[in-house]
Amino acid sequence: MADAHAVVVGAGIGGLSAALALHRHGWRVTVLERAAEPREVGAGLTLMANALRGLDALGLGPAVRRGGAEAPGGIRDRHGRWLSRVDGAEMIRQLGTTALGVHRTTLHRTLREALPASVLRTSAEVEHVESGPDRAEVRFRGPAGSQSLAADLVVGADGLRSRVRAQLWPRHPAPEYAGSTAWRAAIAFPEPVPAAISWGPGAEFGMVPLGDGQIYWYGAVNAPPGGRAPDELAALRERFGDWHAPIPALLAATPPGVVLRNDIHHLAVPLPSYVRGRVALLGDAAHAMTPNLGQGAGQAIEDAVVLGAVCAGGADGLPAALAAYDEQRRPRSQAIARAALRAGRYGQQLRNPLAIAVRDTALRLTPGRAALRGMARYADWSPPAG
Ligand SMILES: Cc1cc2nc3c(=O)[nH]c(=O)nc-3n(C[C@H](O)[C@H](O)[C@H](O)COP(=O)(O)OP(=O)(O)OC[C@H]3O[C@@H](n4cnc5c(N)ncnc54)[C@H](O)[C@@H]3O)c2cc1C
């Protein structure tokens, strides 16, 4: 393959996965990251079978599994009664793996370490992207001032507030507030905790074991956007302090400085294409979704693996390769984004007591295997062959 060069904008989970996928297919890759330190904030993640199979395709499945913990999951009410519980053994039978709880830092480090160190350029904020018929160009502000790089392919993996998206799809509506705010933390906790989501009216609390005595928890509630409490942990204790064990104990074991709070935004209007010329969008830049199916990072990993596969032939025939990327990725990722929004409305955001009673009864009556089949609609994805 002639020296094909890709510039990836953003070193999140999506950007690093894309860089690795392209690198493994023989591309020379430069990743431009605006932060001074490459790092991932945001505590933990759940990775389902699709994300784990994607990581297998990148050669990282075993390393990531070693760094995490099995987290098959289930749904409870605020008193701790199980409404639905995933049987880990059945999940393995259906999907070949359970879900995995992993610290974001561990996943990010594993991706970074699989790439040659020279690939990543930090303190490099991309300001402008342009695509011609044969080349694309990226202008960025680095430690030495304004610079530009020519590339055969530019990958916009710059997240929810993607500048690449805003520049190439200037009239596309900006991400919208989804109606909920979320707090999260990863903490040391001495007791074993089952992976579970608990629902109360307009509120959800999730807990995920990460292995090595670490637990990732999050709380989400319906709220107006932009709210901040003087003491976020105290606000959480007030909201979730009378929920079932071990929720109060998890909050009591949380040091105040580690709690993150984010309003949940999503790309409410789906993009008409993930490709413009020689630029492809990926991850949250392409399809920022609400976190209710735990699929945002999983979809970014899938995007990366498919992008690498369609670009395996190098820069020749790139327009056709990118058209194939858009065709393979857009319908699935946008369907999952829609399903995540629905899951949030039916789950965390539901407030009406009658609707909650109907939902909870329906969940209790749904056999575990049927619930798993519902989950498999999103999680049962395999990388392209070859
Ligand atoms: C509360 C919550 C819980 C979640 N839980 C899960 C879960 O359990 N499972 C799951 O799969 N997903 C989950 N997600 C979703 C997941 O976190 C995201 O979908 C995923 O991290 C997106 O990765 P990304 O690489 O596309 O974007 P990002 O992680 O946002 O990375 C973008 C990168 O681009 C950089 N950048 C931005 N602009 C520029 C620029 N102009 N120049 C250079 N660099 C730039 C940023 O600094 C950043 O490093 C959750 C999300 C939230 C909010």
Side-chain angles (χ1 to χ4, degrees):
M1 186 201 296
D3 184 35
H5 182 215
V7 171
V8 178
V9 184
I13 291 164
L16 291 181
S17 300
L20 185 55
L22 290 164
H23 172 72
R24 285 169 65 90
H25 285 292
W27 284 70
R28 185 163 61 85
V29 184
T30 307
V31 180
L32 300 175
E33 166 56 50
R34 72 176 166 199
E37 287 286 325
R39 72 198 171 98
E40 176 71 15
V41 292
L45 272 180
T46 306
L47 298 177
M48 310 266 183
N50 57 316
L52 292 167
R53 290 179 195 161
L55 290 165
D56 284 334
L58 297 177
L60 297 181
V64 173
R65 285 183 181 89
R66 272 197 305 279
E70 290 191 0
I75 301 172
R76 305 165 86 168
D77 67 17
R78 63 192 290 272
H79 307 292
R81 271 179 309 185
W82 289 95
L83 303 174
S84 162
R85 192 163 193 183
V86 176
D87 174 352
E90 181 59 29
M91 197 178 203
I92 291 174
R93 259 194 303 282
Q94 281 197 28
L95 294 171
T97 175
T98 69
L100 189 84
V102 65
H103 204 296
R104 281 176 188 256
T105 311
T106 308
L107 176 58
H108 197 260
R109 190 181 52 237
T110 308
L111 286 163
R112 227 167 48 231
E113 286 176 356
L115 282 163
S118 57
V119 161
L120 181 58
R121 295 176 68 170
T122 50
S123 301
E125 174 153 14
V126 170
E127 294 177 330
H128 189 78
V129 176
E130 218 170 274
S131 176
D134 301 321
R135 299 292 273 169
E137 188 158 308
V138 176
R139 206 172 61 231
F140 64 99
R141 181 160 296 282
S146 191
Q147 288 173 265
S148 60
L149 274 177
D152 298 288
L153 166 66
V154 174
V155 181
D158 48 345
L160 174 74
R161 305 271 170 212
S162 170
R163 189 171 292 179
V164 178
R165 181 180 65 229
Q167 220 167 70
L168 295 174
W169 285 265
R171 278 190 287 278
H172 196 79
E176 284 177 16
Y177 181 53
S180 302
T181 192
W183 296 262
R184 38 192 171 147
I187 59 164
F189 194 69
E191 294 155 31
V193 162
I197 288 170
S198 303
W199 284 337
E204 167 175 323
F205 194 96
M207 57 189 87
V208 182
L210 302 176
D212 218 11
Q214 297 275 308
I215 303 291
Y216 159 51
W217 65 252
Y218 66 88
V221 300
N222 300 352
R228 286 290 171 269
D231 180 345
E232 298 288 3
L233 198 48
L236 270 165
R237 286 195 189 116
E238 197 166 306
R239 188 74 202 235
F240 294 102
D242 63 347
W243 283 37
H244 68 82
I247 293 171
L250 286 169
L251 295 176
T254 303
V258 305
V259 178
L260 281 174
R261 178 171 177 179
N262 296 95
D263 285 352
I264 306 293
H265 289 83
H266 67 135
L267 200 58
V269 180
L271 278 166
S273 172
Y274 290 173
V275 174
R276 182 144 290 181
R278 293 180 162 260
V279 181
L281 293 182
L282 167 154
D284 280 8
H287 45 63
M289 60 187 72
T290 61
N292 306 86
L293 291 177
Q295 276 289 345
Q299 290 307 299
I301 292 167
E302 286 188 21
D303 292 341
V305 170
V306 171
L307 185 66
V310 299
C311 294
D316 294 339
L318 200 66
L322 294 183
Y325 166 73
D326 183 53
E327 194 180 301
Q328 289 182 44
R329 293 306 307 148
R330 196 158 43 85
R332 173 169 160 81
S333 52
Q334 292 181 344
I336 290 178
R338 283 192 300 275
L341 195 65
R342 279 197 304 274
R345 291 194 174 136
Y346 165 84
Q348 181 264 303
Q349 295 189 327
L350 203 63
R351 293 188 61 86
N352 179 293
L354 187 63
I356 288 175
V358 171
R359 175 198 67 193
D360 289 0
T361 306
L363 277 172
R364 267 198 299 272
L365 295 176
T366 304
R369 280 184 186 201
L372 248 176
R373 274 199 300 277
M375 185 187 284
R377 280 208 303 270
Y378 317 116
D380 196 5
W381 171 90
S382 294

